[in-house]
Amino acid sequence: MTGSQSLDGQIERLRRCETIEEHEVEELCFKARDLWIEEGNIEAVDSPVTLCGDLHGQFYDLLELFKKGGDPPMTNYLFLGDFVDRGHFSVETFLLLLALKVRYPDRITLIRGNHESRQITQVYGFYDECLQKYGSPYVWQLCTDVFDYLSLGAMIDNEVLCVHGGLSPSMLTLDQIRAIDRKVEVPHEGLMCDLLWSDPEDIEGWALSPRGAGYLFGKNVVDQFVHFNSVSFVARAHQLVNEGYKWHFDKQVVTVWSAPNYCYRCGNVAAVYAYDRSHADPRRDEAFRIFYAAPDDERKLPVRPLAPEYFL
């Protein structure tokens, strides 16, 4: 059996929401790490590309996302982080994305969210899920080690900056992101932290974030940033949006949210953003594809209780 055949078999099992063997997880993580070592802190991506927001372990809703956006590798995907925690199937969600990245490295881009962290995953579910499904923390260690290699952002067509959270008062230029040593646990403060934790808000300038990490930033901050760095707009995730997506600041920032009925009770819809620079209006509403939570009869029963409540 060739490597691609073996990988296709793993993808098939993961798409059925079946766990793969520990040694297969180990091999996947090592292969993904080798790919991500070669990627920059800001990974270059060409359009057309479909942007996806937070998933949070809602595996069956990821399958709904693929139904709406198209299956890889036919669709070029950019996932904006927060693959794990809170949902019942973080293991299968992240490992499916990891396997697809290894199988189709030029068609799947993953960047780091604030939940791709050892500290956060020990509180909000992923650690406990790995322990329950594999009987030891080894798979959690493998996954959190590979989190350190994820890019911190992406740049589509050299003009759309994509990050998980937002901007930072420590950042004037994109070269400051490129200079970060990213292969570490997410720090509690500083530029790397802010990229993963910050949020847009209707304020002037900057304010401390109520999340306890990152900042709130206003329109004047974005005006200066996009002008100085020749960026068309900033695409990000990180915040629940009941309508699936939301534009901010005269369409200079967009939030994309891809976890429908978040935490299995919020009742929100989800969206993906099919961005195509060649279209006359790439920021049109029709570029956002709305989808809903998977029907109950298409889900397996959860194997563990939900993680502690936390809606930030």
Side-chain angles (χ1 to χ4, degrees):
M1 182 181 293
T2 66
S4 60
Q5 288 174 326
S6 173
L7 198 48
D8 287 341
Q10 292 172 18
I11 291 170
E12 186 178 332
R13 278 181 282 151
L14 288 164
R15 288 193 69 124
R16 295 195 298 264
C17 202
E18 299 173 4
T19 54
I20 59 176
E21 298 296 321
E22 190 174 274
H23 72 89
E24 294 175 301
V25 178
E26 183 180 64
E27 184 179 11
L28 261 186
C29 287
F30 290 164
K31 288 180 177 178
R33 182 193 62 189
D34 290 344
L35 287 172
W36 282 325
I37 285 174
E38 299 302 318
E39 293 188 357
N41 287 354
I42 304 175
E43 183 63 8
V45 176
D46 295 327
S47 71
V49 59
T50 296
L51 282 70
C52 310
D54 295 31
L55 302 174
H56 282 301
Q58 296 184 198
F59 175 83
Y60 290 98
D61 299 324
L62 173 60
L63 299 185
E64 293 297 306
L65 184 158
F66 286 144
K67 290 178 187 177
K68 178 60 68 170
D71 268 330
M74 299 305 293
T75 300
N76 182 22
Y77 278 106
L78 168 54
F79 289 89
L80 301 176
D82 277 15
F83 318 115
V84 300
D85 285 338
R86 306 211 188 93
H88 296 306
F89 300 100
S90 291
V91 167
E92 295 83 357
T93 298
F94 180 61
L95 292 182
L96 176 57
L97 292 177
L98 202 66
L100 289 169
K101 172 65 179 178
V102 173
R103 182 68 176 88
Y104 308 112
D106 297 326
R107 303 293 286 172
I108 300 282
T109 302
L110 308 177
I111 69 173
R112 194 171 191 173
N114 61 304
H115 278 260
E116 278 69 64
S117 150
R118 294 168 185 81
Q119 182 175 1
I120 297 293
T121 53
Q122 287 184 75
V123 177
Y124 294 108
F126 185 50
Y127 175 86
D128 293 331
E129 185 183 328
C130 291
L131 203 61
Q132 191 272 329
K133 291 179 177 176
Y134 286 95
S136 84
Y138 184 55
V139 165
W140 173 81
Q141 291 169 352
L142 288 168
C143 292
T144 52
D145 284 350
V146 87
F147 288 165
D148 291 345
Y149 290 83
L150 286 163
S151 295
L152 302 177
M155 184 69 79
I156 305 173
D157 297 332
N158 204 34
E159 65 178 30
V160 178
L161 175 65
C162 303
V163 294
H164 177 73
L167 304 182
S168 170
S170 302
M171 175 176 61
L172 294 175
T173 70
L174 295 174
D175 284 342
Q176 290 173 271
I177 302 178
R178 296 184 177 104
I180 294 172
D181 178 5
R182 75 177 190 265
K183 300 176 184 70
V184 295
E185 171 69 347
V186 179
H188 296 290
E189 59 185 10
L191 175 53
M192 180 172 168
C193 170
D194 298 343
L195 294 170
L196 275 54
W197 280 94
S198 293
D199 298 294
E201 186 58 78
D202 292 326
I203 59 172
E204 284 290 312
W206 299 94
L208 291 175
S209 172
R211 296 177 185 271
Y215 288 84
L216 304 177
F217 56 94
K219 182 179 183 300
N220 62 322
V221 170
V222 177
D223 290 342
Q224 295 168 14
F225 178 83
V226 298
H227 175 74
F228 191 74
N229 289 281
S230 301
V231 171
S232 294
F233 64 92
V234 177
R236 42 91 66 179
H238 194 44
Q239 282 180 299
L240 170 63
V241 179
N242 285 325
E243 299 79 18
Y245 73 97
K246 181 180 180 180
W247 285 103
H248 315 261
F249 310 147
D250 299 328
K251 291 195 171 183
Q252 292 187 111
V253 176
V254 65
T255 299
V256 183
W257 184 265
S258 301
N261 193 29
Y262 181 43
C263 289
Y264 311 110
R265 66 181 184 184
C266 284
N268 60 287
V269 302
V272 295
Y273 180 12
Y275 176 80
D276 187 349
R277 181 189 183 189
S278 67
H279 193 279
D281 181 14
R283 300 183 223 194
R284 69 201 185 282
D285 286 338
E286 291 76 17
F288 294 87
R289 297 173 181 174
I290 304 299
F291 66 101
Y292 302 88
D296 289 343
D297 61 3
E298 294 182 12
R299 300 174 180 270
K300 281 169 58 173
L301 290 173
V303 295
R304 62 174 179 82
L306 279 173
E309 294 185 8
Y310 153 50
F311 284 90
L312 293 180

